[in-house]
Amino acid sequence: MEKRLKLAQRLLNPDDSVLIVTIDEKEYLRLGLLLEQIFTGCPIAMVTSVISAKGAARQRSFSRVEEHIFYVLIGEASIAHGASNMLPAYHDEADDNFGDAEEQEAQPEPIDWLGLRRREPSSKRGARPNQFYGIFVDETTGYIHSIGEALDDDVDRHSIKVPKGTVAIWPLDSKGRETLWGLTPDVLRANWAKGYVRVFNWKPAQKKGTVQYLTTGTIDKIDSGLVTITGRGEDGHVQGYMNTDTVSTVRPKRVWHQKSHNAETGGTNVLAKLIPGRRFDYCKSLYAVEDTLRFAVGAKKEALVLDFFSGSGTTAHAVMRLNKQDHGRRRSILVTNNEVSLGEQVALIDKGLQPGDEAWEALGICEYITKPRIRAAITGRTPDGEEVRGRYQVRGADLPDPFPMADGFEENARFFNLTYLDPEAVEAKQSFGQIAHLLWLIGGAEGPVIDEEPRSGWALPERATYGVLFRNKGRAGFAEALAARTEAGAPLRHVFIVADSTDEFHRSLEEVGADPARTTRLYRSYLKNFRTNVIDLKDEL
């Protein structure tokens, strides 16, 4: 893990990027320590997400129902607020009955109530004025009777007279130490009169409950119509939900319990519809990955998402769904091997096959699962050419998007196979096309690929995000094209200049007017060394 994380650190943008790692309970402690050791000074948060209410048996231990998700925030990166806090107040435990859209109805997101007592270590009595006082509650019903006055720091709370038939609730922590309420008495009374304060989970026998309130943000949403009030409780507190046709901004919690995150219904069953008859164990829920990414790149419509343990291709599928929802142009790069399962290896060896044989490679995870899954998701057609059956699941009030899976996505995909160079097999006069796709990746993996050297000595196709200067004779034409692109407000992301010497490179750089920070020198010998013996770089949709 350490080697992989150090490599990931080199790939991440130091100014604004997020590293996301999922892991089970067996290694999460080691992983947490590694992340703190490698990403010094970066905020790190761990989310616990329920992925199956059924649970998976652990010998001599509890049944596993969750996985853990680490977020490492690098540079200016932060977690985006969303339409759901990810932990509904009232959750249906029938997790495994979550099916297709036509079988489910979207459940509105309830109002998010927060505890009134301040919980930070610095919030001790006396730290802030006017925030230590009693809240008097009917000892039978748990309804608020009245709100007391703020006490001076030297006044003993036990000396305060409690109205008949009520008990006083004070801001005390779990050890009985005096802390603070989050609002002053006057503000709390005004909010209580409007139904924005309540006592939750009242226990008459113990005469205990939790004072909760609505934050200013939630109150603003009520006033602006982003929250619909459906009624009031017997004590007068408001009841309602976030509107389905608006976008709210709720801070997500660190424990997630979403029906759509079920690994079987949101993962295995989705994969079975896309590539029927092809099984992949431990497939993540498409919607769980989608939500995980949304908190990192939901507001970044041009984000680049790299998954170097891609498995069945769920990450690419999730990025497509994010793009469909907000018309984004996010890109994803997946990296995977083409492993064959142990059982299949034994069967293939018995048939006299070995790695590298066509029949062996055809059953590898990339060829048999990942590529077909991505093709099916984009085209809406299974590997047999049939329409993908079913619809994407209803996500709840925040994301009601149950469109048919056969609709596919307006996305492009390109597949590459990595191989090692065989110096003995390198032939003379090798074409530029051998490294063309690597330059395209460096240039942003968007737009057309420059795969041959034109007679002009330079290449900059329309809609391309990078350009290549092949020969000195092309400097003038290339400079003119670069200037035109910059003037039109579409500057290139990268420029490649082929030069045999350092002096030649700098002369070309100056004459064409390219940005040195976005320019790479290519030796002619460097081009020749990018040769392969057997490789298919243009297997594309």
Side-chain angles (χ1 to χ4, degrees), residues 272-345:
K273 292 174 181 177
L274 295 166
I275 49 176
R278 303 189 184 190
R279 180 175 175 79
F280 179 76
D281 294 328
Y282 311 114
C283 183
K284 290 185 180 296
S285 165
L286 169 64
Y287 312 105
V289 176
E290 179 185 331
D291 285 338
T292 301
L293 290 174
R294 182 178 290 104
F295 292 119
V297 300
K300 301 173 182 177
K301 294 187 178 183
E302 300 286 338
L304 175 62
V305 178
L306 169 64
D307 183 350
F308 48 82
F309 281 106
S310 68
S312 69
T314 309
T315 297
H317 197 167
V319 170
M320 296 176 201
R321 282 181 49 83
L322 289 175
N323 284 341
K324 182 178 177 68
Q325 290 159 15
D326 62 7
H327 307 290
R329 295 175 59 84
R330 300 173 187 85
R331 295 157 291 144
S332 62
I333 297 177
L334 308 187
V335 182
T336 184
N337 56 26
N338 198 38
E339 264 185 348
V340 174
S341 70
L342 182 60
E344 290 170 328
Q345 288 182 31

Side-chain angles (χ1 to χ4, degrees), residues 413-435:
R414 191 178 293 265
F415 301 114
F416 303 92
N417 294 329
L418 178 66
T419 188
Y420 291 96
L421 301 178
D422 181 359
E424 301 296 329
V426 174
E427 298 179 359
K429 300 180 181 179
Q430 184 63 48
S431 70
F432 171 78
Q434 292 299 113
I435 66 163

Side-chain angles (χ1 to χ4, degrees), residues 78-233:
S78 62
I79 295 301
H81 292 193
S84 169
N85 66 18
M86 305 303 288
L87 184 63
Y90 304 100
H91 188 85
D92 183 3
E93 295 294 337
D95 208 275
D96 303 302
N97 293 327
F98 187 59
D100 287 340
E102 53 267 338
E103 299 171 359
Q104 297 291 324
E105 295 182 359
Q107 298 299 316
E109 182 74 18
I111 295 176
D112 193 21
W113 292 82
L114 297 181
L116 181 64
R117 184 176 70 82
R118 299 181 68 94
R119 295 180 178 274
E120 57 268 37
S122 60
S123 294
K124 299 177 182 179
R125 181 181 178 182
R128 289 172 175 265
N130 303 322
Q131 289 183 230
F132 184 81
Y133 51 90
I135 298 175
F136 306 111
V137 176
D138 185 290
E139 61 183 10
T140 302
T141 64
Y143 301 158
I144 295 177
H145 172 275
S146 56
I147 296 170
E149 298 294 337
L151 303 186
D152 292 334
D153 295 342
D154 58 351
V155 175
D156 185 351
R157 73 174 192 271
H158 297 98
S159 65
I160 301 302
K161 184 177 180 180
V162 178
K164 185 177 180 180
T166 72
V167 295
I169 298 182
W170 301 92
L172 308 177
D173 65 14
S174 59
K175 295 184 179 180
R177 292 174 295 200
E178 296 178 337
T179 62
L180 300 173
W181 292 124
L183 299 175
T184 60
D186 290 342
V187 175
L188 189 66
R189 290 190 192 100
N191 287 357
W192 173 44
K194 296 178 182 179
Y196 301 158
V197 183
R198 71 178 185 181
V199 174
F200 179 70
N201 196 26
W202 178 251
K203 298 176 181 178
Q206 301 176 17
K207 294 182 173 51
K208 289 184 178 181
T210 301
V211 180
Q212 295 183 328
Y213 77 115
L214 298 182
T215 64
T216 302
T218 301
I219 294 172
D220 289 342
K221 290 171 187 173
I222 294 174
D223 294 339
S224 62
L226 296 180
V227 171
T228 296
I229 300 301
T230 58
R232 292 178 178 267

Side-chain angles (χ1 to χ4, degrees), residues 226-300:
L226 296 180
V227 171
T228 296
I229 300 301
T230 58
R232 292 178 178 267
E234 292 183 0
D235 63 343
H237 77 269
V238 296
Q239 299 170 329
Y241 58 85
M242 304 293 180
N243 288 342
T244 59
D245 57 350
T246 58
V247 178
S248 58
T249 53
V250 180
R251 185 184 299 275
K253 297 183 178 180
R254 294 197 306 182
V255 176
W256 297 353
H257 195 179
Q258 301 287 307
K259 291 181 178 181
S260 59
H261 289 196
N262 182 280
E264 180 178 352
T265 54
T268 304
N269 291 356
V270 170
L271 190 65
K273 292 174 181 177
L274 295 166
I275 49 176
R278 303 189 184 190
R279 180 175 175 79
F280 179 76
D281 294 328
Y282 311 114
C283 183
K284 290 185 180 296
S285 165
L286 169 64
Y287 312 105
V289 176
E290 179 185 331
D291 285 338
T292 301
L293 290 174
R294 182 178 290 104
F295 292 119
V297 300
K300 301 173 182 177

